[in-house]
Amino acid sequence: MGLKSDFCAYMQPEKILDNHIDRFPIVGIGGSAGGLDAFEQFLSNVPDQCGMAFVIVQHLDPTQKGMLPELLQRITLMHVYQAKDHMVVLPDCVYVIPPNKIMTISKGILYLHIPNEEDGLRLPIDTFFRSLADDKKEKSVGIILSGMGSDGSLGIQAIKERNGIVMVQNPDTARFNSMPNNAIEAVTVDVIAPVYELPAKLSMHFKELSQDKSAFEVILSVLRIHTGNDFSLYKRNAVYRRIERRMAVYKIESFRKYAHFLEENPSEATILFKELLIGVTRFFRDSDVWERLIEIDLPALIAKQKKGSKLRAWIPGCSTGEEAYSLAIAFTEALEKTRPNEGITLQIFATDLDNESIKTAKKGFYSANCAVDITANRLERHFHKTEKGYRIKKELSDVVVFSEHNLIMQPAFTKLDILCCRNLLIYLDATLQHKIIGLFHSSLRENGLLILGTAEIIGSHRQLFETKDSALKIYKRANVIQKTVALDFPFTFLDTKRTEITFPYTQNSVANIERLTHQFLLQHASPPGILVNENGDILFMSGKTDKFLEPAVGKANLNIFALLRNGFRKDFPLAFHNVIQFKETVVLHQFKENMTIQWIDEPEVLKGSIMIFFNA
């Protein structure tokens, strides 16, 4: 069978795009030049009329003529083309990158570029996968087959970020296993299988799956029980897709069956939880944002500071730390442009819900592929090069403090000069976004900078912020006072019926609180105890509590959610919620200790507060 003519890809491209754009998935397949067998195995198992397009990106010798299209055409009925500039991508067709070219895709059209030899590191798979993620979003697929090196690892991160699917050839079946192994280390891969099984699993993923609403709520409930985190206000479509992805792995066809599977397999709840965290980032993501910060906004902020000032920044949802280190580098460069010898410093608090991501961030070690996003000068100044990648230098890592933190369940950092929360809000529904933006305003000092992701907005909170750059989503806190509103996040378990918490804080009542708290604890054999309000703010402590509490970095106010040690932290939020909602007493068991959480109705001074005490 001869190579198909590519004339159809140039006939009325506008009409073709109108009919087909965004209606079918595009599958990017990456491998090395020695991986012909893997490509043939994959395409020979793709079902007829599958409705998908396939783009093969291969490491090729730039001096040799590419023969892959002719070789692949022999084993598939799909049209196989060597890609050309401005070629329209159509379903049930295969497109192969030509030698000595870098390829991207935009609006369903392929674009060829001449490699920049000055860049040194040529990563054609990463380049195409990133553009594919931006173009097709949840209908993008990245598949890594046999190959040497780590090309593709950054690209599949971008695909995961856009809710696409990632598949990897089982390294044990690959002729060259470096690329598959590096891909598996880079992200939570959806499917790992021998190459001949991947097409069937891919087709299964795109079949319509049952979305039984009651079963979906059960799934969220199981996640709450096992992880202590509530995803009910995350964007439902994004949660659906990630649940469906896990269902496809186990060939489970309905939400109801998956809910039962989840209840029977607690380890799967942990995997689903990590899938929902969407831990994807990279250095200097959206480079225009960082250029503006370094040249304009950070120098303007620094100019207002006194000598020796120590600024505070917070990056919630920091993932594996690239954005936090990017901010540290950006601040260093901006400071040198303005006031380099005046002792002005920045402390960055970087937090994330995922403890594994925090562990990675603390190590400060990144694969060699990160060099694509970092200039040579920055690499030399701020990183140690090793055989396997780059390690952050100590003078930079000392600027950043990483910690596990739930943006919605635990108290926010306060008195901030910079708050950088990029590409986290897009996964939350509008109600929760609105509340978090209000929280951010409260966390910032006057004139503090708020930096959001380029796809995020401040919505109806425009009066709280002055827009510095609407396209890049950079804002400055306005000096206005918010109305008193309870940020009744479901994660923090505030009483949504209350608009504010009332508690008599007079001198006499403070004395009464101390006396009555001691009396209460005496009735229970004087155990260590903590009195808190409905927010979890600590009002009074009695006895030796250091066994149960530990200081939280950067905290301006004492709060039980931030200070509680890990032993009780998982089950505490739901128990605390039940105490407030049902005015009941809950006892938690952890090793040899018991924690009792008790609602207080009387005496009047303590009414509406919660007593937490510990018994061995």
Side-chain angles (χ1 to χ4, degrees), residues 343-355:
I344 298 172
T345 59
L346 175 68
Q347 178 72 73
I348 301 173
F349 304 103
T351 64
D352 198 275
L353 189 60
D354 183 9
N355 186 47

Side-chain angles (χ1 to χ4, degrees), residues 440-553:
F440 286 170
H441 180 269
S442 301
S443 297
L444 284 163
R445 302 184 201 263
E446 183 180 351
N447 297 319
L449 289 176
L450 173 65
I451 305 126
L452 300 180
T454 53
E456 296 168 333
I457 59 174
I458 58 173
S460 60
H461 283 306
R462 291 186 181 90
Q463 76 282 2
L464 299 182
F465 296 93
E466 174 188 337
T467 301
K468 305 302 292 182
D469 191 304
S470 58
L472 301 181
K473 305 302 169 65
I474 299 174
Y475 306 92
K476 184 172 74 171
R477 183 194 189 276
N479 187 23
V480 297
I481 300 175
Q482 292 189 68
K483 295 180 180 178
T484 302
V485 177
L487 299 174
D488 53 335
F489 301 137
F491 304 76
T492 53
F493 309 123
L494 300 184
D495 185 350
T496 58
K497 296 179 181 178
R498 295 177 179 236
T499 56
E500 59 182 358
I501 295 174
T502 57
F503 198 91
Y505 286 105
T506 64
Q507 278 192 333
N508 289 336
S509 66
V510 170
N512 286 337
I513 289 171
E514 181 176 350
R515 177 175 56 82
L516 293 170
T517 299
H518 282 304
Q519 288 180 0
F520 181 94
L521 293 171
L522 280 171
Q523 298 172 15
H524 298 80
S526 296
I530 304 166
L531 185 72
V532 303
N533 63 16
E534 292 183 2
N535 288 329
D537 297 322
I538 296 175
L539 306 175
F540 185 78
M541 291 190 290
S542 176
K544 190 174 179 59
T545 59
D546 59 317
K547 185 177 181 180
F548 312 101
L549 305 181
E550 60 182 348
V553 175

